[in-house]
Amino acid sequence: MPAWLEVAIRSICILIGLFVITKLLGKKQLSKLSFFEYIAGITIGDIAGSMSMDLDIRLTEGITSILIWSLFPVAISIISLRSKKFRDFVEGNSTVFIKNGKILEDNLKKEKYTADELLEQLRKKDVFRVADVEFATLEANGDLSILLKRDKQPLTLGDIKPYVPEEKEPQTVIMDGKILDEPLATARLNRGWLKKQLDQMGVAIENVFLAQVDSYGQLTVDLYDDRIQVPAPQQKQLLLASMKKAEADFELFALQTNDDDAKQMYEQQAKQMQQLIQKLQPFLM
């Protein structure tokens, strides 16, 4: 067998094997890997590269080495899931760097962290003053987690309004010009509704690159032709405007009528509509 053909066959087989091993090891991101898992991955890649190019290495020896380096991290992961003590021993614990706004210098020395490195990590989190930090800890994977002091935290919608409506994930109902029935059913909608919405926009399904439905039933689309402008959804704004108009109509009827009973009824309906608007307004903004 020619050398190039053997190299090609070896490389294809090793690629398939590495794909299987990668699926077996799980979906951890590189930043989430433990130190040992990171070293094991590098070693497996080096062994695989050597097996592809070095024809003097027998496949049985290379495969045995790869299996050992692959199965050992899997075994460690399984044991770690069942034992916190073992997990702490293998992956380590987080180290507190800042507590109650004070830097813990002994912990910095323990992790061989300099003040410059701490400031660099803070700047990566958009924090430029140590005095703004209430708590900071170095995670086992090397990331720095930060809790700002209460008066330095960014304002959220929950700080302004006592009740904030829940926001569910949007459902992608069209991708590459094809309707996706499962997400459409998850949103409790159907193809008829989708076609009607697209007709109102003046858009054909085959011209849609991506379309999503939010938790309020509003459809947003992205077309293949970026030069075409699609109007933004207005359903919520229109509903809010209609409710405010109904409230104004009740108030107007109350002013125009001379019947005391009718006046009282219109005023009561206007008040109820106002209360309803106040309850629903967070959902319709």
Side-chain angles (χ1 to χ4, degrees), residues 43-44 47 51 59-70:
T43 306
I44 291 171
I47 296 172
M51 287 176 59
L59 286 177
T60 54
E61 296 173 350
I63 291 173
T64 301
S65 179
I66 287 179
L67 286 176
I68 292 174
W69 278 95
S70 302

Side-chain angles (χ1 to χ4, degrees), residues 47-282:
I47 296 172
S50 300
M51 287 176 59
S52 297
M53 299 299 299
D54 192 348
L55 301 182
D56 293 331
I57 299 177
R58 290 188 294 179
L59 286 177
T60 54
E61 296 173 350
I63 291 173
T64 301
S65 179
I66 287 179
L67 286 176
I68 292 174
W69 278 95
S70 302
L71 296 178
F72 198 71
V74 172
I76 289 178
S77 298
I78 293 173
I79 299 174
S80 296
L81 288 174
R82 299 181 179 181
S83 172
K84 187 180 186 310
K85 291 183 178 179
F86 184 79
R87 181 168 65 250
D88 292 341
F89 173 75
V90 173
E91 300 182 1
N93 292 313
S94 59
T95 303
V96 179
F97 279 175
I98 301 176
K99 188 174 183 179
N100 298 328
K102 302 294 184 181
I103 298 177
L104 306 181
E105 293 82 1
D106 291 339
N107 287 353
L108 286 179
K109 293 178 181 178
K110 176 183 174 183
E111 296 295 341
K112 299 179 177 61
Y113 241 72
T114 66
D116 288 332
E117 290 171 332
L118 175 60
L119 292 175
E120 178 185 352
Q121 293 300 318
L122 290 174
R123 289 193 296 269
K124 288 181 178 179
K125 301 288 186 177
D126 295 328
V127 178
F128 293 87
R129 293 204 320 161
V130 178
D132 295 343
V133 180
E134 176 67 24
F135 183 83
T137 180
L138 183 69
E139 305 295 350
N141 61 4
D143 287 342
L144 189 68
S145 300
I146 298 171
L147 174 66
L148 294 175
K149 291 183 177 179
R150 181 61 180 173
D151 59 335
K152 299 299 180 181
Q153 294 177 12
L155 191 66
T156 64
L157 188 59
D159 296 325
I160 302 173
K161 297 183 178 180
Y163 176 75
V164 181
E166 293 184 358
E167 186 78 18
K168 296 183 179 179
E169 75 280 5
Q171 297 294 327
T172 302
V173 294
I174 298 179
M175 184 179 292
D176 298 328
K178 304 293 183 182
I179 297 177
L180 306 179
D181 290 309
E182 185 176 346
L184 197 60
T186 302
R188 298 181 179 180
L189 301 169
N190 53 47
R191 289 192 172 214
W193 174 89
L194 181 59
K195 187 175 184 304
K196 180 180 178 181
Q197 295 295 315
L198 293 176
D199 289 342
Q200 291 177 355
M201 296 180 182
V203 175
I205 293 178
E206 56 270 16
N207 294 331
V208 178
F209 174 67
L210 193 75
Q212 292 183 312
V213 178
D214 63 17
S215 54
Y216 301 106
Q218 292 190 124
L219 179 69
T220 55
V221 300
D222 184 271
L223 304 181
Y224 282 105
D225 190 348
D226 294 331
R227 294 172 297 179
I228 300 176
Q229 297 295 324
V230 180
Q234 300 290 331
Q235 289 93 329
K236 292 194 295 182
Q237 292 85 345
L238 290 174
L239 177 57
L240 181 60
S242 298
M243 294 175 68
K244 289 182 177 180
K245 183 179 182 299
E247 179 191 1
D249 288 341
F250 284 133
E251 292 175 348
L252 180 62
F253 296 155
L255 293 174
Q256 291 178 340
T257 184
N258 294 321
D259 189 322
D260 292 337
D261 291 337
K263 181 186 291 292
Q264 184 178 0
M265 180 191 69
Y266 287 135
E267 289 176 348
Q268 184 179 2
Q269 293 296 328
K271 185 177 180 180
Q272 290 179 355
M273 181 60 70
Q274 184 183 25
Q275 293 174 348
L276 184 60
I277 291 173
Q278 290 176 348
K279 290 181 180 180
L280 297 179
Q281 194 163 4

